[in-house]
Amino acid sequence: MAMEVTQVLLNAQAIDASVRKQAEDSLRQFQEQNLSSFLLSLSGELANEEKPVDSRKLAGLILKNALDAKEQHRKFELVQRWLALDGNAKAQIKTCLLSTLSSPVADARSTASQVIAKIAGIELPHKQWPELIGSLLLNVNQPSTHVKQATLETLGYLCEEVSPDVIDQDQVNKILTAVVQGMNSAEGNNDVRLAATRSLYNALGFAQANFSNDMERDYIMRVVCEATLSPEVKIRQAAFECLVSIASAYYDKLARYIQDIFGITAKAVREDEEPVALQAIEFWSSICDEEIDILEEYGDDFTGDSDIPCFYFIKQALPALVPMLLETLLKQEEDQDQDEGAWNIAMAGGTCLGLVARTVGDDIVPLVMPFIEENITKSDWRQREAATYAFGSILEGPAPEKLMPIVNVALTFMLTALTQDPNNHVKDTTAWTLGRIFEFLHGSNVDTPIINQANCQQIITVLLQSMKDVPNVAEKACGALYFLAQGFEDVGVSSPLTPYFQEIVQTLLSVTHREDAGESRLRTAAYETLNEVVRCATDEMASMVLQLVPVIMMELHNTLEGQKLSSDEREKQGELQGLLCGCLQVLIQKLGSAEPTKYMFMQYADNMMGLFLRVFACRNATVHEEAMLAIGALAYATGPDFAKYMTEFYKYIEMGLQNFEEYQVCAVTVGVVGDVCRALEDKILPYCDGIMTQLLKNLSSDQLHRSVKPPIFSCFGDIALAIGESFEKYLMYAMPMLQRAAELSAHTAGADDEMTEYTNSLRNGILEAYSGIFQGFKSSPKTQLLIPYAPHILQFLDSIYMGKDMDEVVMKTAIGVLGDLADTLGSNAGSLIQQSVSSKDFLSECLSSDDHLIKESAEWAKLAISRAISI
């Protein structure tokens, strides 16, 4: 086989499908029969200069895919498989790969770089391949430019694959030295400079210590800033990407460079090619992000102990930064509104201007108003659109009272422009700006309303008329109406929208039937707006909302009638079914929650459930998710009566719980099981064996996405609450699982933000399970079954309290569990709680919390504990 591997690799890229399939089968067979010689022959192919470029590239790609995968469980399997491979074979593969770095063929070098980094990502954390970094550093000093280039590229990929704590500081220093030297203007070869600059981007996360040293930081910053002036556009772009990354990773170290960086970025934004200019704008957007975060966290009261002070870079740069950004708004592209993924200098400038407004608030208004006033009525569409975009961008940040006088004047002007401006770009941006006005300056939180009886009719007439415009303008008009409706959510009994409700609904439904509703997300936007209008409807609109139910049901029914569709049409139809199920969910929640409409609404429940069950026959994950959510809402609305649907529905619950591939469907199904438990209470009992068996299976599986596990634990709590002491037979399975997960989630030292967030959601799920189990057994003669588990639960509460990294949600659930434990176990818990290390401190911390929900839970827990102790 090794002899023929070249031909098989070429055949695997053949145009003829049968030749291709045969080759793919041969490769799969070879891999299954003898993995180490398969990987060896691939690395040999990649390293062999006499072989064709195409077979070498594919050999490298297959090698890379044999080491890594997107799905966590698959990646874990591949890592274990590589670690178990014969040592000699691994050594030979690595030798082949390192020798390929000196190949004259660029594609072969680049592929080898990526594979070396993947192996390093597996081996370095296991203290294997310790000589790798040393040999790469030797390569960097070789005279051959392509060896240098490939090695720098490898170092960059390696930094992407490996976490900073795996490489010791001495080696980090050497890598950074090699990379920064490669970037230096003294380096004559552009390919080497580019590879070095891109590598620095990946290596910045390793440079903590170096950025804390003034001399080393000055050197790195000087080299990066010099690279932004390189004659080669790709190097300039890569250097600005480094600056963007530095802005967020090392914000607190930038003060002494910010003046120079402003000069460099301003020149790039005004004069350089678009890819470079975009990164130069992105630098200031990143600075805004940092300052917004700091100001939100600490407010203006910086005390000496806040982690990072705010340097107010944006405030200081305002007089020069705002004019630079306003200039970019005039660089629009002709067709940017039609292209969903469009991104250009004007869009980047407007986005940055919006972030600046959020960073500095009121100070931006006087700097932008002259530009708006000067351009808004000009004959050139670019000037009118830029002025409108500037106005829309600064509506979030400044205080409403600062903006109100301007908005009141602008509103009438905008409504006229939306119907009468000859240019689509201007209309698109005008509708977007109206949406921003309604989002930020209209609603119960604003003192002086901008919408009154006088202008409400004009606003609605204009928005509904614009929904007949071209798709991109109509989509923005839907968005504006969405925020208009949302602002009237808390108006009480009478809403200014009531007289127009019928007309609004008719118009939105006719938008969903437009031939071109598939463009610019128009159909989705129309349904989202319809849902919001329904959600925010007041009681006086209830009868009109009710009339909408059979209309939407009919639409869903029509999509289920058996016509033969192409796969493209099927996908579009799936999207429509998802939107209709989502709309029905909102209608169920609206009508099923209020007594007057609930009775009328229930006449539709059987037919609606029938439609949802038919939707499950369509193979489309998004639709399944939406139908599940709608059924969850229906269960909540129908209560115990939902039992009549369970025989039919149960098989779809099982299907959903077994759907590991489309794990969002699995997660939603777990949530719906909770809804059904709350609706049916002990009537869920006949189905519990099947559900619990599947949930326990899901928890033991490595193949299920980790995000589904916390809701499964919460679901244990829902089941226990519903069936009470009948949960007894599941205790011996559920409790050890909860215990193991609790131990895992207690130890989180050194976790990154994403991991901490996941750990907190896991803790919350575990605590919700405990809470449901204790409440379910309360006042049952079987409560003594829970006593053996109490010490461990108290220990878990101690460990998360001591860890000091729980969020508010966990805090509230945790103090609730302490109360549940005392409440259910009474005197049996009293002495245990008194012995617990931190219960007392935890309780007093929660009692003095600013969060009233935590405080409320704590007061209840205090009462339960004092009762338990006094018994």
Side-chain angles (χ1 to χ4, degrees), residues 719-858:
I719 294 171
L721 255 179
I723 63 173
E725 62 178 41
S726 305
F727 195 78
E728 174 194 351
K729 63 172 169 180
Y730 308 124
L731 283 175
M732 59 187 283
Y733 307 104
M735 287 310 224
M737 275 236 175
L738 283 162
Q739 209 160 326
R740 273 202 303 280
E743 279 160 13
L744 277 175
S745 79
H747 307 295
T748 55
D752 58 14
D753 290 351
E754 194 185 329
M755 194 60 201
T756 306
E757 193 179 319
Y758 174 70
T759 303
N760 274 317
S761 79
L762 188 60
R763 289 168 175 171
N764 196 54
I766 296 164
L767 291 163
E768 283 181 343
Y770 284 141
S771 177
I773 291 167
F774 278 110
Q775 287 177 40
F777 275 83
K778 184 173 155 54
S779 60
S780 138
K782 296 186 174 173
T783 47
Q784 79 280 2
L785 292 171
L786 299 178
I787 296 169
Y789 303 110
H792 176 269
I793 293 170
L794 288 166
Q795 206 181 329
F796 176 48
L797 292 174
D798 280 341
S799 67
I800 54 179
Y801 174 69
M802 310 288 222
K804 296 291 177 211
D805 60 352
M806 61 175 151
D807 58 23
E808 262 116 36
V809 182
V810 173
M811 201 169 199
K812 178 188 167 300
T813 324
I815 201 66
V817 167
L818 192 61
D820 290 328
L821 194 118
D823 191 36
T824 301
L825 298 182
S827 59
N828 291 310
S831 57
L832 288 169
I833 291 174
Q834 280 175 304
Q835 290 158 26
S836 125
V837 189
S838 58
S839 294
K840 204 171 163 189
D841 296 347
F842 185 27
L843 187 62
S844 55
E845 192 174 308
C846 291
L847 284 167
S848 56
S849 168
D850 298 338
D851 183 319
H852 76 98
L853 289 173
I854 293 177
K855 202 171 181 166
E856 217 170 86
S857 286

Side-chain angles (χ1 to χ4, degrees), residues 332-344 347 381-382 425 428 472:
Q332 309 95 324
E333 283 171 8
E334 286 290 347
D335 54 355
Q336 65 184 43
D337 299 329
Q338 271 72 32
D339 175 8
E340 269 195 43
W343 186 245
N344 57 43
M347 296 165 95
W381 73 264
R382 289 179 182 280
H425 282 283
D428 181 299
N472 56 298

Side-chain angles (χ1 to χ4, degrees), residues 853-870:
L853 289 173
I854 293 177
K855 202 171 181 166
E856 217 170 86
S857 286
E859 276 158 4
W860 176 80
K862 184 183 177 184
L863 199 69
I865 291 168
S866 57
R867 272 203 307 267
I869 290 173
S870 66

Side-chain angles (χ1 to χ4, degrees), residues 62 92 146 236 260 290 309 334 381 384 399 426 459-461 505 555 617 653 673 708 833:
I62 297 172
Q92 281 175 272
H146 59 244
R236 295 200 299 278
D260 292 339
E290 291 305 309
E334 286 290 347
W381 73 264
R384 297 197 303 281
V426 178
I459 291 171
I460 288 168
T461 308
V505 169
E555 301 244 337
I653 288 183
V673 170
V708 189
I833 291 174

